[in-house]
Amino acid sequence: MTETSTSRSAELTLLVAGESSASRSARATLDALIGDGLAEASQVRVIDVLQQPDFALRYKVYFTPSLIVETSTTTTTIVGDLHEVDEVKSLLAAA
Amino acid sequence: MDEQPQFHEVEARSVLETGIVGLDHITGGGLPRGRVISIFGAAGAGKTVLGLQILAHRVSAGERAVFISFEQTADSVLEDMAGFSWGADGFAEDELIVLETGVPTDLHVSGRFDMQGLIATLLAVTDASGATIVMLDGLNALLSLLLEEADERRELLRLTDWVRSQGLTVLITAKASAENERARTRAEILDYQTDCVLVLDRLQTGNAISRTLQVTKYRGAAHIGHIVPVVMTNNGVEVVIAGGLASETLAPGAPASRPDQRMPTGVEELDPLLGGGYLVGSRTLLSGAPGTSKSTLAAAFSLAVVQDGGRVLYVSFDEVRAQLELHTASVGYSFREPLENGSLRILEESASGGTPEESALRIVRAVDDLGANAVVIDPVSALTGSGHPFADEALSYLLTSLSQRGVTVLLTSLLHGAATVDEATKSNISTIADNWIHLTYIANGGERNRALTIVKSRATAHTNQVRELVITSEGIELRPAYVADGDVLLGSARAQKEEQDRTEAWLRAVEYERGEAEILASMAELEGRISGLGNEVDLRRRDLERLRTTRDGALERTATALEARVAARRSGNLANDGDLANDGEGAHE
């Protein structure tokens, strides 16, 4: 599918803040995407902005969790706990 | 009790000066350090400028500051700042850090989220720079992206708690006049969760708009909570309140150091009435109806100061410069030379064009620019009688500022008729003036004459007597008024009375003269008559002589003829009669 190929080529950065329920929910969704083959584990990183605040500054991320989807040409931000996996899939497809 | 911990805060309270004198005054020294301060206001109320100005001042005091805008680009923020005196030279990038944060337009939302990213950002930037003060401008743009009102409340609480735990001072701007329920609630939350709340607003009076500032909340500290006027100039936000000035030390050369120095009034006869002139650094009120020559007296003062080597700022509300020059020159006070050599400056103010607080600031600035040691405000009633809500504050600020500089002030004031004293007292003008000179017209015998009274002269022996003020082509002269039967007489009434008294004395003198002259005249007449009679005697004597002469001649001739007839008879004949007849006939022959 074209959608999945787009996602696979993208780098995913999940910015979370500590061990909140929203952080856990977002991590779980990200794991599910990797499990479904929609994202490559090597292209995914998870950053705790309270530990590494420079990432928040660099990406201008004020909301957590935030999933930054970077392709060679675009950067898309999905904000939220990503608890609706299907919704995230369609957003990734649009990105 | 609730108040107990707050009480401890008072003692441990640490403040940061904002550099805005009036704001530091009403907040009791400055904003609370290590706390969250909200700045509320409608669009264009000056929230961003106020915040930037405070940041700039902190930077100049050696702190580092961060400005994060959620609405503007960094470039436009820097550009805005460059328009102000405190921002014109710019700042080192590591001293005042300006971050633009534009909320991403391609932001997708899936599920719930919080604002800890902002906290992380603040952490990153303050850690890296050592900044101690942060401003979040337009935070509402960010907050409005949160899904629910409850989220906003929670996130603001998280933010303010975190800020306080870090010892950071954070300024948050927010719109006060909320356009919807959510924004109103946001304002309420901010108001509740922040430690200090400043509200910027506008107040319209006629065409003029006053900017205002109010400290509606200052947790744990006394503050002045009433609305104060604010003016936006190229110095940024200036709070027009006299209280902040009073605590400052007096400038060198202020009146305190020269308690007895006097300035000439410009009217020779007036100086001695005021103990030698206006006290340096004092305020004199010149009140009176239109045309009582207040401006002329002010002009006389201005020129006298200039001639003494001083500098004068003449603030004219009524007349434009050209009119004023013409008017004063016509009575012998020419501004041309001092205007040309820069020792006199005329500041044209319009009573209708702005607010009194703006005028007050412009005047103070002009005084500083000129280095003026005397100021004329003609008339001050343009400020006090303007009906603007902050007229009193503006005047008080102005006069305090001038006193601080040791400037001698002459205020003219339009006051009418019988209500004069009441009005002056009501408007407090009389209490703020050290000297009060009142000019009136006194109508008398179809004439209106100008009269000058010194109503009050603080700390100076002075006369309360009314003087007549006379304007000549050489300037103003004071003449003592004529007092008779408790009435003050001026002009021709005075002249008349004086004349009357003079006449009485003269008449007494004339009376003697007349007696003497009468006697002399009658004597002369008699002498004349004597000399006339003498002449008549002569005449008669001559008549007499002539008469006698004539009579003697006739008698002689008769006697001769008789002697001849006697002789002829003696010689003989009866024919003497015929002879006599022949003699008569012979006479015919």
Side-chain angles (χ1 to χ4, degrees), chain B residues 269-345:
Chain B
E269 300 86 358
L270 184 56
D271 288 346
L273 304 185
L274 290 164
Y278 301 128
L279 204 57
V280 167
S282 69
R283 302 166 190 159
T284 301
L285 175 70
L286 268 181
S287 64
T292 46
S293 70
K294 299 181 295 294
S295 296
T296 311
L297 258 180
F301 169 65
S302 303
L303 289 178
V305 172
V306 166
Q307 271 150 25
D308 257 19
R311 285 167 180 265
V312 179
L313 179 73
Y314 195 113
V315 184
S316 177
F317 278 93
D318 280 351
E319 291 179 291
V320 295
R321 183 179 148 152
Q323 272 179 337
L324 182 71
E325 282 181 63
L326 204 65
H327 165 136
T328 53
S330 70
V331 288
Y333 298 112
S334 172
F335 281 172
R336 198 173 50 82
E337 201 184 310
L339 281 172
E340 276 170 10
N341 68 28
S343 54
L344 176 72
R345 195 182 140 192

Side-chain angles (χ1 to χ4, degrees), chain B residues 455-518:
Chain B
V455 182
K456 154 175 137 178
S457 179
R458 200 174 278 163
T460 304
H462 63 278
T463 173
N464 288 324
Q465 215 180 52
V466 177
R467 303 285 157 149
E468 181 173 7
L469 189 151
V470 181
I471 298 181
T472 70
S473 60
E474 310 288 298
I476 290 177
E477 275 176 34
L478 291 190
R479 292 179 190 158
Y482 207 97
V483 183
D485 304 327
D487 277 341
V488 172
L489 301 177
L490 300 172
S492 64
R494 183 200 58 174
Q496 211 169 21
K497 176 65 184 166
E498 283 175 345
E499 179 62 27
Q500 190 183 328
D501 287 5
R502 259 201 307 275
T503 307
E504 277 167 15
W506 181 78
L507 279 179
R508 278 190 297 276
V510 162
E511 209 48 32
Y512 295 116
E513 275 177 36
R514 195 171 60 86
E516 193 180 316
E518 257 176 27

